Amino acid sequence: MGDETSLALVGAGKMGLALLGGWLGAGIPPRAIAVHEPHPSDALNSLAAEKGFALNPAPAAAQTIVLAIKPQMLEAAAPALAPLFSADSLLISILAGKTVANLAARLPARAIVRAMPNTPAAIGRGITGAFASADVTSAQLDTAQSLLAGVGGVEWVGEEKLIDAVTAISGSGPAYVFHLVEALAEAGAALGLPPDLALRLARATVEGSGELLHRSPEISAEILRKNVTSPGGTTQAALDVLMGPDGLAALMARATAAAEKRAGELSG
């Protein structure tokens, strides 16, 4: 990413700001970045003043445009975005549900990467699922990989329809984990623990378990689960419920199916 105007970020909410922080941390020169955000937050204004990237400059063609606005804003925003594109620009879209065909119909873009990062990107621990259209060159694919890897891991899928499934699993997945903390804390309070203690126990348990997963890449989640479970013990009693016919797996299947369906509906 060498020249000025090489990278334009459109939308700098939580996810856009996380991507921007990752790029700056990875050494992309601030002069190469133009950020377009009609309602800049105090954090974005401060970062622009500190780092020196362009904030809301006059629109000019960029080699790569990263689209991080809300999906519902695409229709209204599209005409103003046209000046950012040249014939060989790469578009990276993180808009849930917006297909390659949908994006190409509204923006002068041919080389399109659809990507779905998640909120742990804010701490460099995100995971992004991505799909590249047929017009994306190998050099542009490398660019997309580099930009997305600035906030965590990147996994590519070969079929565009799988991006909706990625959205349902990892894109929305952090909310499921946070809700697990809430549910575990509520269960602890129902068992008689003071609510604040139950919340601290639940939060620390999920934090520690996630870190154990992170530090044990060679050990499957199944083995880690079995390592905690003594036959006939307390954990087994709970897992008999969670792994029953109407347990967590069935509930998660229904929940993620609903998320995938909604992602498809957003493509309209």
Side-chain angles (χ1 to χ4, degrees), residues 55-85:
L55 179 57
N56 292 322
Q63 294 172 9
T64 304
I65 300 95
V66 178
L67 191 57
I69 60 177
K70 295 184 184 301
Q72 299 89 331
M73 294 172 57
L74 177 61
E75 193 77 38
L81 301 181
L84 298 177
F85 292 85

Side-chain angles (χ1 to χ4, degrees), residues 12-13 36-42 44-45 55-56 73:
H36 301 272
E37 169 53 63
H39 306 290
S41 63
D42 291 341
L44 180 60
N45 283 320
L55 179 57
N56 292 322
M73 294 172 57

Side-chain angles (χ1 to χ4, degrees), residues 64-156:
T64 304
I65 300 95
V66 178
L67 191 57
I69 60 177
K70 295 184 184 301
Q72 299 89 331
M73 294 172 57
L74 177 61
E75 193 77 38
L81 301 181
L84 298 177
F85 292 85
S86 64
D88 58 353
S89 291
L90 168 66
L91 171 63
I92 301 175
S93 168
I94 66 169
L95 276 59
K98 295 303 180 185
T99 64
V100 166
N102 191 290
L103 292 161
R106 289 163 174 75
L107 298 167
R110 292 176 59 235
I112 299 173
V113 167
R114 285 187 63 191
M116 180 47 58
N118 62 8
T119 54
I123 58 169
R125 290 278 295 274
I127 184 68
T128 299
F131 168 80
S133 73
D135 291 308
V136 175
T137 67
S138 59
Q140 289 173 326
L141 198 63
D142 289 344
T143 295
Q145 171 71 28
S146 177
L147 290 174
L148 296 172
V151 292
V154 184
E155 298 286 350
W156 292 87

